[in-house]
Amino acid sequence: MMGWGIVWQHAGLIFKGLVTTIAISSVSVFCAVLLALMLFGVGLRWKLFDRLITAFINGMRCVPFLVLLYFVYYGLPVLHIYLSPIYAGVLALSFYNAAYFSELLRAAWKQIPHEQVEAGLAFGHYGFRLLRRIILKPMIQIALPTFGNQTIQVVKDSAFLVIITVEELTYSANELQATYYIPFASFLCAALLYWAICLVIEAGIRISTRRAEMMR
């Protein structure tokens, strides 16, 4: 019936693609948030670099992700920088989404009461020390819901990695439909699994947000 039996027979292939998608998305989100925090901290400590960071953020936000992915995988070898498909995908996802996470951090920073920041400055906290001891915790608490949305976007963007032959979930579904011509069952299965991943992320963010509000 519409190929569901074939999908079930090749559940191992789908599962392998699912695990790869989750792994790539998790690593990319971790690296993107880390890079976003570094960019925010540098901009906070040295105003000289703030314009350069803003230019990077605007550049990433204006360039389609697929173009960046092509550049990393096909363009960097011209400079003798060769990356495997997975490393190229993680690098592109990390840099691309770091711009968005950085903007979310900036928005959260603006919502922190000025009195709290001024108190930190009065106690001699500047730059990264101010970020780590005074700003970081409330800023993350404020940004959590929007971080969840961006994490879901990372999961969806990971489907583009099929273009550079990363064997993630979309790749596995496409392999099934190309071999057995069951596009309905294979792609619907992939869509449902992407949906399941996003539901888990949303549930995790809701729980984390509730806990953060209780701590506040």
Side-chain angles (χ1 to χ4, degrees):
M1 289 179 61
M2 294 182 290
W4 289 110
I6 296 174
V7 170
W8 180 252
Q9 289 173 11
H10 294 82
L13 177 63
I14 295 294
F15 181 74
K16 179 184 176 183
L18 175 64
V19 170
T20 302
T21 290
I22 293 172
I24 287 174
S25 300
S26 300
V27 173
S28 298
V29 168
F30 176 79
C31 293
V33 171
L34 191 62
L35 181 57
L37 286 169
M38 290 174 59
L39 291 173
F40 180 82
V42 169
L44 190 66
R45 178 66 179 85
W46 295 286
K47 295 299 180 182
L48 176 65
F49 294 102
D50 195 44
R51 289 186 179 181
L52 292 176
I53 293 170
T54 301
F56 166 77
I57 292 172
N58 290 336
M60 288 295 102
R61 292 173 64 192
C62 293
V63 174
F65 174 70
L66 189 57
V67 173
L68 178 64
L69 182 61
Y70 276 136
F71 173 78
V72 171
Y73 188 65
Y74 294 110
L76 290 184
V78 175
L79 304 176
H80 303 289
I81 301 173
Y82 301 93
L83 299 172
S84 69
I86 287 183
Y87 283 126
V90 168
L91 183 65
L93 281 169
S94 299
F95 272 86
Y96 189 75
N97 287 280
Y100 290 90
F101 280 116
S102 185
E103 277 297 281
L104 297 177
L105 288 174
R106 287 189 180 193
W109 150 257
K110 291 179 181 178
Q111 296 182 47
I112 297 176
H114 291 293
E115 295 80 5
Q116 188 173 342
V117 179
E118 289 172 359
L121 292 172
F123 280 96
H125 299 304
Y126 296 94
F128 283 103
R129 188 192 298 177
L130 179 67
L131 174 64
R132 181 169 57 89
R133 295 192 175 182
I134 307 296
I135 299 172
L136 185 59
K137 187 176 179 179
M139 187 169 65
I140 293 295
Q141 289 174 343
I142 293 170
L144 261 180
T146 53
F147 267 33
N149 294 334
Q150 193 58 40
T151 300
I152 289 173
Q153 188 60 49
V154 173
V155 173
K156 293 192 293 184
D157 284 346
S158 70
F160 283 109
L161 304 192
V162 68
I163 299 295
I164 57 172
T165 68
V166 174
E167 297 180 9
E168 41 72 67
L169 184 53
T170 301
Y171 180 95
S172 298
N174 191 52
E175 281 287 290
L176 277 183
Q177 80 84 21
T179 303
Y180 299 100
Y181 194 68
I182 49 168
F184 181 87
S186 60
F187 287 126
L188 180 57
C189 178
L192 291 173
L193 288 173
Y194 278 117
W195 188 24
I197 295 171
C198 295
L199 289 176
V200 170
I201 293 171
E202 288 178 350
I205 291 297
R206 272 198 304 271
I207 294 170
S208 300
T209 302
R210 279 199 213 103
R211 289 182 178 177
E213 289 175 352
M214 289 174 63
M215 291 173 64
R216 289 173 67 185

